Amino acid sequence: MSKVNTLYSDLLILDSEADYKQYYIEEYCNKDIYTHDGIKVKFPPNQFEHSFFESANRRQKDKSIFSRERAERLSWIKKVLNDPSLQLYAGWDSKKRRYDHTRRVCLVTPDRYVVILRMINPRLASFVTAYVIDNDDNLAKIKASPIWNPSFS
């Protein structure tokens, strides 16, 4: 395992998709992970396929292609969750077409990296996904979102 320096942290360079999944299970699913403000975060093993794959066609949302770019940032997730200086935003519910404070979106700039949690209750959340924002419009949308308010979750 080698590492490459970036603005936020080192990249995790592993040999294969299977190695990344093993890392995810060992470092996240099999450990107790907490945010800087004391929220326990569950990492479901089957969430790996959702979080670290991309769709060949965004409209179909098939999640058929392993994303090395996402997987190389696996080690960033804990750092993001533990960083009290990062801004938290309410997530967007595309089905209901409104902001949803049960979605906690943490944005890292200048790396354009987001970690999204789904709040189960005020002390427990579930990991949804983490990725690098691919365009300026999406970055602007997140920055224009309401600040996350835990009392709405």
Side-chain angles (χ1 to χ4, degrees), residues 24-31 33 43 74-75 77-78:
Y24 172 77
I25 290 171
E26 288 174 4
E27 293 299 317
Y28 291 97
C29 303
N30 293 342
K31 293 186 178 178
I33 308 291
F43 287 82
L74 254 167
S75 63
I77 297 168
K78 283 182 193 176

Side-chain angles (χ1 to χ4, degrees), residues 55-62:
S55 300
N57 179 328
R58 281 191 173 183
R59 292 186 194 276
Q60 291 178 359
K61 298 182 180 180
D62 62 358

Side-chain angles (χ1 to χ4, degrees), residues 44-120:
N46 64 351
Q47 198 66 19
F48 181 84
E49 282 72 20
H50 170 77
S51 302
F52 303 101
F53 281 70
E54 297 175 329
S55 300
N57 179 328
R58 281 191 173 183
R59 292 186 194 276
Q60 291 178 359
K61 298 182 180 180
D62 62 358
K63 295 286 187 168
S64 60
I65 301 169
F66 176 67
S67 173
R68 184 166 284 276
E69 179 184 46
R70 288 181 178 204
E72 287 176 347
R73 288 159 178 78
L74 254 167
S75 63
W76 291 19
I77 297 168
K78 283 182 193 176
K79 293 175 184 180
V80 168
L81 295 176
N82 286 301
D83 189 340
S85 72
L86 299 176
Q87 187 61 62
L88 301 174
Y89 298 93
W92 178 255
D93 185 330
S94 58
K95 291 178 184 166
K96 295 180 181 176
R97 304 195 48 77
R98 62 180 171 96
Y99 290 102
D100 180 356
H101 286 270
T102 66
R103 298 285 175 143
R104 176 174 157 150
V105 178
C106 186
L107 176 63
V108 177
T109 55
D111 296 273
R112 303 165 66 103
Y113 186 67
V114 294
V115 175
I116 301 173
L117 304 178
R118 180 181 55 82
M119 299 303 299
I120 296 169

